[in-house]
Amino acid sequence: FTVNSDLSGLNFYTTLTGSVIINNDSPYTNSRTVTMTLSSPAAKFMQFSNDGTVWSAWESFKTSRSWSLTTGDGSKRVYIHFKDVAGEPSPAYSAGITLDTTKPTVTLSLTKGIYQIQLDWSSLIDLSGIKKYSLFYSTLTVPAGCSGTGLALTSDTSTNYTHYPLTAGKIYYYRVCATDNAGNTTTGATASMKAASEIDPPTGSISINAGVTNTNSTAVKLTLSATDDSGPVAKMCISNANTCSSW
């Protein structure tokens, strides 16, 4: 009998399967060093690449491996080959993550109200997006940092807050901080303002020499009146110029 030794039409190799997950499948990271979770039932070896072209040396398979992403913020992708004991490599598997190492930038503005201060803040465009804001205040000095118990905001991403009731005449110091989705926290924006019992200035009138339009003397008689919503007007300043400094 005749034995046909031509086996070229037969396929004895099954594609090696596998998967890779970066940082538990988080979409963002603020560190170039990430942790990869690896799976490939028949794999004995593995190798990695940041671009799919230049590969690391083959190493023994492990289910977890730290890896360094390329420098610079932005979208990153890590590629991996698996290899079995027979030396057959798998196709390239990959996973992606966005590297964001830049702290958010926040601006803060204050608006005075009656026994209250309105705070409004905003941040510049952040690569990973703002996860939460934190607001802190003191009546002694500017809050030192972005930790501790802050004022309760309506939501983590609220961009305004009305602080009341306040004590008129007392200065209130504020710091608003922002944390992005990659975990970067800004040092915060600061501002301060004195609380007021009213915000409208006094109103008044002045008459020179009982309303006479002309005089032959530099000495004149002023008739003054003034009112204020908060009570009697306490001081006045008179000047021959548009500015006044002596109350």
Side-chain angles (χ1 to χ4, degrees), residues 83-186:
K83 188 164 64 172
D84 61 18
V85 69
E88 294 290 346
S90 72
Y93 296 95
S94 69
I97 196 168
T98 296
L99 175 63
D100 179 6
T101 61
T102 305
K103 295 180 179 180
T105 300
V106 182
T107 58
L108 172 63
S109 64
L110 307 181
T111 304
K112 185 180 296 184
I114 300 175
Y115 297 108
Q116 67 181 31
I117 296 175
Q118 173 70 31
L119 298 93
D120 295 277
W121 57 86
S122 62
S123 63
L124 300 178
I125 296 175
D126 187 85
L127 181 61
S128 60
I130 299 299
K131 181 179 181 179
K132 70 173 183 177
Y133 293 103
S134 301
L135 178 61
F136 306 89
Y137 91 99
S138 171
T139 56
L140 301 177
T141 187
V142 176
C146 297
S147 60
T149 302
L151 294 169
L153 303 179
T154 303
S155 69
D156 285 345
T157 54
S158 294
T159 56
N160 57 74
Y161 183 83
T162 301
H163 194 193
Y164 72 93
L166 307 181
T167 302
K170 182 172 289 188
I171 299 176
Y172 290 80
Y173 302 87
Y174 299 94
R175 181 184 294 272
V176 63
C177 306
T179 301
D180 63 22
N181 285 297
N184 303 299
T185 298
T186 180

Side-chain angles (χ1 to χ4, degrees), residues 15-33:
T15 301
L16 195 61
T17 60
S19 65
V20 53
I21 297 174
I22 301 176
N23 283 6
N24 293 320
D25 215 20
S26 173
Y28 306 103
T29 180
N30 60 6
S31 172
R32 286 183 57 208
T33 301

